[in-house]
Amino acid sequence: MASARRPMQTWLPLLGAPAVSLANLSLAYALTAPSCAMESTAWLHGVNAVCVAVCAVLTAIGWGQWRRVRGHPAPDDAGDRTSRQRFLAAMGFAVGLLFTLVTLAQWAAAWILWPCL
């Protein structure tokens, strides 16, 4: 099975996308005072753009993993390896997509609000 050879690809979007979104929130908060002092939002937008791109890549990995395992026939027993792989692959894609949207929403705040507020 294709997914058995790449088990970490299932976990990357599940764990990586929330971690990148949290890192984005932390870095954007830490860069608010320097951005106010420089009167520029370039660093804020740069950090947000990189984090959105990383989340999008992780979501694409999750989508690819889900496409690999979704075509396998559904087993009779819901607790076997194929069912778990299908569930984790679908959740990896969903979590990656959710946190890509969350990171985009964080970026929207950087577009709307001035850092000196």
Side-chain angles (χ1 to χ4, degrees):
M1 185 175 288
S3 61
R5 288 180 273 151
R6 300 184 189 124
M8 283 308 296
Q9 283 190 356
T10 302
W11 291 101
L12 280 174
L14 277 172
L15 301 175
V20 169
S21 185
L22 179 62
N24 179 51
L25 183 64
S26 299
L27 287 172
Y29 183 72
L31 288 173
T32 301
S35 293
C36 181
M38 292 186 302
E39 295 183 0
S40 172
T41 58
W43 281 103
L44 289 173
H45 293 300
V47 166
N48 281 300
V50 168
C51 289
V52 166
V54 171
C55 281
V57 167
L58 291 172
T59 302
I61 290 171
W63 182 68
Q65 191 73 2
W66 179 61
R67 284 196 51 189
R68 271 192 283 285
V69 298
R70 76 176 178 176
H72 297 291
D76 293 333
D77 183 22
D80 71 341
R81 181 180 180 137
T82 304
S83 296
R84 288 191 305 268
Q85 287 175 342
R86 292 173 96 180
F87 175 74
L88 286 174
M91 286 298 101
F93 174 60
V95 167
L97 187 61
L98 173 69
F99 279 97
T100 300
L101 295 174
V102 166
T103 309
L104 277 171
Q106 292 171 358
W107 194 3
W111 281 102
I112 295 169
L113 300 174
W114 186 251
C116 295
L117 292 177

